[in-house]
Amino acid sequence: MPLYGKDNCTFPFTNLYQAIRHNHGHSYTALNDTNGVCNSSNDSSDLERRYEAPVVTQKELRGWYGYGFACEPFSVSALGVFIPIILESLAAEAGYELDDYNTPCDTSVARYSCVIKVGDIYVGTSSFSLYVRAISVAFQALVFIGCGAIADHGRWRKTFLLLFALMGSISGLLFPVAYKPSLWWLAATLSIITCVCFGASFVFYTSYIPTLTRYHPDVLEVYSQGDEEEVSRVTEKVANSISGKGMAWGYFAGVIVLVISAIIVYVLGQTNYSMQIACAFTCLWWLIFTYAPYKWLKSRPGPPLPEGESYLLYSWKKVFNTISHISQLTQTFRFLFAWFFISDAISTTTSISILFCKTVLGMGHAELLIAGIIVPLAAGTGNFMWLHIQSRYKLSTKSMISMLVSMYAVLPLYGLLGFILPFGIRYRAEAWGICIYIGLLLGAIQSFCRVMYSELLPPGKESEFFSLYQITDKGSAWIGPLICGAVADITQDLRYAFWPIVLMLLIPAMVIRSVDVSEGKLQARRYQMKN
């Protein structure tokens, strides 16, 4: 099985492996295909000036894991716990009673129902944070489209990763500035900016997975043997290992941050402002540990931007060009369709669960923080557990995703049982078991999904296609919150929001089963050669 280079140039695995060894750990793609035979050159310095691809080292992997260690606590702590609580609390303290728009909201009541006036309309305080999340998603899609394809050229991938990490963490550090209820709008604005920057940095972080896999020593070793099945098996194993370990280290960091945050909240008093301080600490952690990728992660530059192309318009053109070629990448886009709903359902379930525990079960800040600690701790453990299960029973990545998504659908179904049975998220005691259940599945689903996607994308277009992945991820994240927020406003019962989540999980689980990974890989190679 050959490896395709630029201009449709191919060369056998053995030659690639020998070239890597010969050129001091660097692999270069030969140019100028003549009658199907690649021209070779003994001038390694000339090749080095063109397409440089260093073999992955443990230090570089530590740099990549380091960014997960830096940013994942923001997702786990800020997005999953602090921001929904902060926005809901500020809105409630600045809001009015549902049945009397002139009476200030009484937040001392366990199950209060209040609204906040946004412009000329009144929005339920429980759904306010969901609407803010939906707005941030819309802005994320614009940023992802505008930057994604550019990062496949020059050294922009690492630059964009660090730039958005810097802007996002600094914006999050400003949360304590919104110290009173009347500044709910400022908290919402900071939330949008921080979430957009986090999502953008994550595009370029995850786009490293195919490259780190492709040039991993274990993968290069089997390339030299020329056994296609063995290459596929080892590549999938390495990709799952890299992704799973990155996710696990991120969730374990999230546990550390949540424990420290819980101490901050306890020492400062269980107030909304102490939650804002804790949220700012999460962003400080993000800022400090971004030093790891800055120091150790290689830029891995791509070719320069095509002559005559504009940085302002290039990425937009590439993304829309890719979308116009859906017929050439049917398996890739079939997966994206499924991921569109899976990611939305997962993120919405997390937000709904936090709000449900706070407003329906009446759990306090301390209890919510404990729940927040349990979820990432279980998620980090779950990553290793499911990797072991996959290896033990020799299950494909696709099979793991189908199984885990189906298991995740049990959660909203259990919540719906609360309508007719004396259990079904009706008591606080149930919340702890649910936290463990969510955690064991959450990280593993995300890790396996991004690995399966990395198998289906064209080589050399990682950032462009992972921007589509993040657009699909974050671009769908407004649907669930919007629907669930509307359902909660209409019914005044957050439990009804579990209905749409069930559908958003079961339907894509069936779609995933229909994806042909082998065909998807061939389609990706053909697309890469033509474009």
Side-chain angles (χ1 to χ4, degrees), residues 3-12 15-16 19-20 23 26-33 38-41 43-44 46-54 214-215 301-303 459-460 528-529:
L3 180 73
Y4 287 97
K6 301 297 287 186
D7 300 325
N8 300 349
C9 181
T10 67
F11 45 94
N15 290 349
L16 169 65
I20 291 167
N23 289 305
H26 289 74
S27 165
Y28 305 102
T29 304
L31 301 180
N32 302 323
D33 181 20
C38 297
N39 293 337
S40 61
S41 171
D43 185 0
S44 62
D46 177 63
L47 288 170
E48 185 169 353
R49 286 196 298 270
R50 302 186 187 188
Y51 295 97
E52 182 179 356
R214 191 178 304 127
Y215 296 105
Q528 186 260 348
M529 289 190 293

Side-chain angles (χ1 to χ4, degrees), residues 99-134:
D99 53 1
D100 184 358
Y101 289 175
N102 295 314
T103 303
C105 179
D106 184 3
T107 57
S108 64
V109 178
R111 298 183 181 183
Y112 58 81
S113 296
C114 300
V115 294
I116 180 73
K117 188 176 183 181
V118 181
D120 295 327
I121 62 174
Y122 288 90
V123 175
T125 57
S126 295
S127 54
F128 174 69
S129 65
L130 298 176
Y131 292 135
V132 171
R133 179 77 176 272

Side-chain angles (χ1 to χ4, degrees), residues 67 160-170 197-198 201 286-287 290:
Y67 190 66
F160 278 145
L161 187 156
L162 297 175
L163 178 63
F164 282 110
L166 182 65
M167 292 191 299
S169 56
I170 291 176
C197 292
F198 168 77
S201 72
W286 180 11
L287 179 63
T290 296

